[in-house]
Amino acid sequence: MTVTQDSAQSPAIEAANPHQQMLQLLGGKMVAAAVCTLARIDVADLLADGPRPVAELAEATGTDADMLYRFLRAAGSAGVFTETADGVYGLTPMGELLRTDVPGSLRDLAAMYGETSIWNCFGDAVDTLRTGEPTGPKYRGGQGWFPYMEQHPEWAQTFHRAMTGVSEKAIRAAEVFDFGRFGKVADIGGGQGRLLSAILGAHPEVQGLLFDQASAVQGAAPVLEAAGVADRAECVVGDFFQSIPGGCDAYVLKAILHDWNDEDSIRILRNIRTAMDGNAEARVLIVEAVVPAGDGWHFSKAMDIAMGVSLGGKERSEQQWRALLAEAGFELVAVTETAPPHAIVEARPVF
């Protein structure tokens, strides 16, 4: 299949000439930093009821009023906030996504992107370019992101909330894909269960299994109960590098394999194949980006660099998915587009 580019163009293309385009592109780092920082102090929540003077926002957040104005102005240049009067700021539709109480909130994702060990590794990206190895671990005491989170529960919660927010977009998978053909669906590394909740909610006849680390699963009960599916969802704590529960007809991996290099991804997939226990009708369903060919803007191309420098993972093209799956004992069956940048890569085991 052919994967289309995102309909939204790269933010740099609106500039008038190549020099301005390049300046706008390079300045994007500073604007992103402003957005991430403002997310961490929850300015958007303070603007939920309408615009407010910067002086009030500064007092409420314990920040310097002049500096806060400058951060809001920078974020406003990208359409996140708007100055409705002199020194008075409000939210735009895009800025609404930084609120903590809206469906699909990206507040925690923005805060996570600004987390020191993630942000700083880009400053050493030339080392990744030369060696192929991530620089992120050196900012985490030599640890990978997931062991680091286990020792920093505040960031673990931010991460899991961020993934729950991102899942609001990814749950379109439950709408466009027929999960009803499976008796039991396992969401491997499923976090707090947002995607599994959507799948079970759309298919009342399906049973579910949520599998992840303790720091994720311990926050799943409210999500499953709010969706009215807790009675059909089993929660299991474990490590997908060690083993994966059997007895399921479909194994979903949403935004999991892009965290890992090919060798580690194959280990995870082979554990799933083992869990299938010879069931040729079982399926693995990978909900991730499929990187398109060509020079056009697609979020996966930017994320590919982020995964490389921070975690050592990667985004993959359809050809790369096909090769990875074959190495793990699977055959790619189909790629179904959902909501950009996600697609569903479906594969069956080869026994």
Side-chain angles (χ1 to χ4, degrees):
M1 65 161 286
T2 299
V3 180
T4 58
Q5 306 286 347
D6 280 353
S7 58
Q9 296 296 304
S10 169
I13 68 167
E14 296 179 1
N17 58 59
H19 185 267
Q20 289 299 312
Q21 286 179 333
M22 182 57 74
L23 288 177
Q24 188 173 348
L25 183 63
L26 295 175
K29 173 186 176 182
M30 283 74 89
V31 174
V35 173
C36 293
T37 303
L38 292 169
R40 291 177 67 175
I41 63 171
D42 294 319
V43 166
D45 283 352
L46 297 174
L47 298 174
D49 295 328
R52 295 177 63 179
V54 172
E56 288 185 11
L57 296 173
E59 183 177 358
T61 57
T63 57
D64 179 80
D66 178 65
M67 190 58 74
L68 179 59
Y69 173 79
R70 292 157 64 184
F71 272 61
L72 287 165
R73 181 173 60 185
S77 71
V80 182
F81 298 93
T82 182
E83 190 170 14
T84 60
D86 189 23
V88 177
Y89 269 89
L91 292 174
T92 64
M94 185 161 56
E96 291 280 346
L97 292 171
L98 293 182
R99 290 173 53 186
T100 58
D101 59 350
V102 297
S105 170
L106 297 179
R107 182 272 175 195
D108 289 300
L109 187 69
M112 187 186 78
Y113 280 177
E115 193 270 341
T116 303
S117 74
I118 292 178
W119 186 268
N120 285 359
C121 64
F122 284 96
D124 294 325
V126 68
D127 293 337
T128 296
L129 189 61
R130 288 172 174 153
T131 67
E133 297 297 322
T135 62
K138 82 176 188 179
Y139 293 104
R140 304 179 196 119
Q143 296 179 308
W145 174 246
F146 296 99
Y148 176 80
M149 281 200 303
E150 290 298 303
Q151 296 181 13
H152 296 80
E154 71 283 4
W155 278 113
Q157 290 305 309
T158 298
F159 171 79
H160 293 307
R161 289 195 303 265
M163 294 303 99
T164 297
V166 171
S167 291
E168 294 298 327
K169 195 74 170 175
I171 60 172
R172 180 160 167 73
E175 302 170 1
V176 303
F177 190 86
D178 182 18
F179 286 94
R181 69 195 230 218
F182 305 112
K184 189 171 185 179
V185 174
D187 192 355
I188 305 302
Q192 296 177 330
R194 183 64 188 93
L195 177 58
L196 184 62
S197 295
I199 293 171
L200 299 183
H203 303 281
E205 70 283 8
V206 175
Q207 299 292 312
L209 184 146
L210 179 66
F211 181 81
D212 209 325
Q213 294 180 317
S215 62
V217 173
Q218 66 187 11
V223 176
L224 297 169
E225 290 168 2
V229 299
D231 61 330
R232 289 187 286 125
E234 176 187 4
C235 294
V236 179
V237 173
D239 179 353
F240 49 48
F241 283 116
Q242 299 301 316
S243 65
I244 288 172
C248 299
D249 305 296
Y251 290 83
V252 178
L253 293 162
K254 182 190 73 66
I256 299 297
L257 297 184
H258 75 161
D259 291 339
W260 306 98
N261 60 28
D262 287 350
E263 181 181 356
D264 287 334
S265 295
I266 289 168
R267 286 175 59 197
I268 297 168
L269 288 167
R270 284 178 176 167
N271 283 341
I272 290 176
R273 189 172 177 275
T274 298
M276 290 176 172
D277 194 25
N279 180 5
E281 299 304 312
R283 295 291 184 266
V284 60
L285 305 169
I286 302 167
V287 184
E288 286 203 21
V290 177
V291 183
D295 296 332
W297 165 256
H298 194 273
F299 185 66
S300 63
K301 296 177 181 179
M303 275 301 296
D304 184 42
I305 300 302
M307 304 313 294
V309 300
S310 181
L311 302 180
K314 64 194 299 186
E315 305 292 341
R316 296 173 173 92
S317 65
E318 182 174 336
Q319 182 179 1
Q320 289 172 316
W321 280 122
R322 192 178 298 277
L324 185 80
L325 286 161
E327 187 69 23
F330 289 91
E331 178 186 15
L332 192 150
V333 174
V335 177
T336 302
E337 291 190 59
T338 59
H342 296 103
I344 301 176
V345 178
E346 177 182 357
R348 62 188 171 206
V350 178
F351 294 108

